[in-house]
Amino acid sequence: MPNASANHLSRRGVLAAGGALGLGAVLAACGDDDAKSSGSESSANTSAKSGPWTFKDDRGTTVKLDEIPANIVAFTGVGAALYDYGIQVKGVFGPTRTTDGKADVQAGDMDVSKVEVLGNVWDEFNVEKYAALAPDVLISTMFDDAGTLWYVPEASKDKIAKLAPSVGISVYDRQLTAPLERLWELAESLGADMTAAKVTDAKKRFEAAATRLRAAAKAKPDIKVMAGSASAELFYVSGSNLSIDLEYFKALGVNFVEPPESAKKEGGGWYESLSWENVDKYAADIIMMDDRSSALQPSAITEATWKKLPAVKAGQVIARSPEPILSYDKCVPLLETLAEALEKAKKVS
């Protein structure tokens, strides 16, 4: 990665970034994204088992293959989303297993024993194992507008690129519904049955949950919600811009704590970092906390200043998934959890 500048976070900054996307979960935030969504082109259909495959990703890159990809390698969260649509990937990279060997939260419902894990932490990607899989395509998300594939190491990206074409789905500076639609299109192009009851019911549940959240936000306009993430040293407060979940929740009417742009400069525009002594800088009635294994979870926070926060004392702390698994099934609980919290919330700040 480039050195830290006005538009980029250093590698060290990436590993320290907690407020926007959790530890090890922010890349360079570079300018505005002109291409909010790109269309897909596919000659495959929901019942196709073979035949030419074409897909235009969010970099504007069109991948063309003689057959629908069979050997798919993907960022863990993308693999989990495809799994929900009936597409099994061969290999994954990114948080997949916890230290006790169980499936990481970002692995969703995937059986992690049935995928080749090429890398489980930041900057880890086994190129030899990747080559051995004879990959047809690599799929990842992108947290900037420069086309940087998430969790593909800078040092080995050129070697990786030579082994198979790649597809990038943007999760930068847009609402949640945009990448959800793109993953739907991608799964459909790969041969998933998007008319299956499980799939269509999940989409209906998502729409119902969005309606519920909009109503809850409208009924409680004075309830302030803060999106946070914790490490042993710092507490990170995310602004609602750039993050797909927060942008969408804001559009539905949720009233977020918003650190000023000047305070988020060090965090690439994603977040403001606070010492634990200053964790009470912003008044909040509900706190949404990063649920990923890279972040310190609320139950493990021992700081007295945290325990004194009104929202914490009132039991108004809920989980947040800063890197949502992009299937409708997995995004329903995100909306329902926040809607329920708003419905029950008391003004404590």
Side-chain angles (χ1 to χ4, degrees):
M1 288 187 60
N3 293 327
S5 68
N7 291 326
H8 294 273
L9 294 178
S10 66
R11 181 171 299 279
R12 190 172 185 178
V14 167
L15 295 173
L21 294 166
L23 302 181
V26 169
L27 273 178
C30 311
D32 294 327
D33 192 338
D34 295 327
K36 293 294 180 181
S37 178
S38 299
S40 66
E41 306 167 8
S42 176
S43 58
N45 56 51
T46 54
S47 62
K49 299 297 182 183
S50 63
W53 183 76
T54 303
F55 190 85
K56 185 177 182 181
D57 75 359
D58 290 337
R59 298 170 298 184
T61 300
T62 299
V63 178
K64 297 181 179 180
L65 298 175
D66 292 337
E67 295 183 350
I68 296 174
N71 293 346
I72 301 170
V73 173
F75 172 68
T76 301
V78 173
L82 291 175
Y83 181 87
D84 286 347
Y85 291 131
I87 303 296
Q88 177 67 59
V89 302
K90 295 294 179 68
V92 295
F93 53 95
T96 307
R97 297 191 183 106
T98 58
T99 53
D100 58 3
K102 296 180 180 179
D104 188 273
V105 65
Q106 294 191 66
D109 293 333
M110 279 194 304
D111 184 344
V112 297
S113 70
K114 294 183 178 179
V115 293
E116 183 73 61
V117 181
L118 305 176
N120 198 62
V121 297
W122 180 257
D123 224 19
E124 180 181 85
F125 192 112
N126 192 312
V127 180
E128 289 72 23
K129 286 185 178 181
Y130 179 56
L133 289 174
D136 294 319
V137 67
L138 180 148
I139 308 171
S140 190
T141 48
M142 301 182 298
F143 281 93
D144 61 24
D145 59 359
T148 306
L149 296 174
W150 193 229
Y151 266 78
V152 173
E154 180 73 17
S156 55
K157 68 177 184 179
D158 292 339
K159 291 180 181 179
I160 293 168
K162 291 177 181 178
L163 295 170
S166 62
V167 167
I169 300 297
S170 180
V171 288
Y172 174 70
D173 193 17
R174 61 202 59 211
Q175 294 181 23
L176 177 61
T177 46
L180 272 173
E181 290 168 2
R182 293 295 280 142
L183 252 295
W184 176 289
E185 293 168 0
L186 178 60
E188 185 173 37
S189 79
L190 293 169
D193 181 5
M194 310 310 283
T195 64
K198 178 183 177 181
V199 174
T200 57
D201 288 350
K203 191 171 185 180
K204 290 177 182 177
R205 288 189 293 111
F206 178 88
E207 293 165 351
T211 298
R212 178 184 176 184
L213 179 54
R214 187 188 295 276
K218 185 176 182 180
K220 300 280 187 73
D222 295 332
I223 296 295
K224 295 287 289 185
V225 179
M226 180 166 66
S229 185
S231 72
E233 296 80 20
L234 295 169
F235 184 80
Y236 308 88
V237 181
S238 290
S240 62
N241 292 331
L242 305 184
S243 297
I244 56 173
D245 61 328
L246 303 185
E247 285 203 14
Y248 184 53
F249 299 157
K250 180 173 65 174
L252 293 176
V254 177
N255 183 8
F256 281 105
V257 167
E258 298 284 3
E261 291 302 315
S262 57
K264 295 186 294 181
K265 186 176 181 180
E266 185 178 343
W270 293 89
Y271 63 88
E272 177 182 4
S273 57
L274 300 173
S275 66
W276 284 105
E277 289 77 12
N278 295 315
V279 73
D280 60 352
K281 179 177 179 179
Y282 298 106
D285 304 294
I286 296 173
I287 302 176
M288 303 174 68
M289 290 295 290
D290 189 340
D291 68 353
R292 289 167 304 170
S293 55
S294 56
L296 188 65
Q297 296 305 301
S299 60
I301 299 174
T302 59
E303 299 290 340
T305 49
W306 163 261
K307 294 180 179 180
K308 291 179 181 178
L309 293 177
V312 176
K313 292 172 68 176
Q316 295 179 173
V317 178
I318 63 174
R320 175 197 171 206
S321 298
E323 291 184 65
I325 293 174
L326 296 171
S327 70
Y328 287 99
D329 179 69
K330 293 300 181 292
C331 288
V332 168
L334 311 184
L335 276 68
E336 290 182 338
T337 297
L338 181 53
E340 182 179 9
L342 282 169
E343 290 163 356
K344 296 179 177 180
K346 296 179 180 179
K347 185 68 178 176
V348 295
S349 64

